[in-house]
Amino acid sequence: MRHPLHVALSVSVRAGAGAGPPAVPPAAARHRRPRTSPAHVLLAALAAVPPARRLAAGLGLASVLAASVLTAAVDPASPVAPDRAPARQSSTFAQVSGD
């Protein structure tokens, strides 16, 4: 959609004999919009970050993901000790001691 104030102008192209740069057809002379897709914006922002910081951020992200996967996938080494009483549900209210 064009802007409401857009005015189309006609451009005359001279077929002169060496009077300047070669004539460009009007269709090729149009101005193109810059790419603003999210991927291009992300790549442009990433290119502005120094390589050392990108490496540090990538290693940090990899370590967080590895810790998350290990936490979810690895079972504890041993079950709860049989001589311990199972944990009781605690109250959120203060209790009066029976002393």
Side-chain angles (χ1 to χ4, degrees):
M1 182 174 156
R2 291 187 173 179
H3 193 275
L5 299 177
H6 178 80
V7 178
L9 299 175
S10 61
V11 178
S12 61
V13 178
R14 286 191 239 164
V24 178
R30 283 194 199 147
H31 195 58
R32 293 187 179 186
R33 291 180 56 198
R35 294 183 179 182
T36 56
S37 69
H40 287 99
V41 172
L42 180 65
L43 288 175
L46 189 61
V49 178
R53 287 207 178 165
R54 280 185 278 179
L55 177 64
L59 290 174
L61 179 63
S63 67
V64 167
L65 289 175
S68 299
V69 167
L70 286 174
T71 302
V74 175
D75 292 329
S78 63
V80 178
D83 60 336
R84 293 192 162 235
R88 290 178 282 174
Q89 186 175 6
S90 63
S91 173
T92 58
F93 298 103
Q95 303 289 324
V96 177
S97 67
D99 291 347

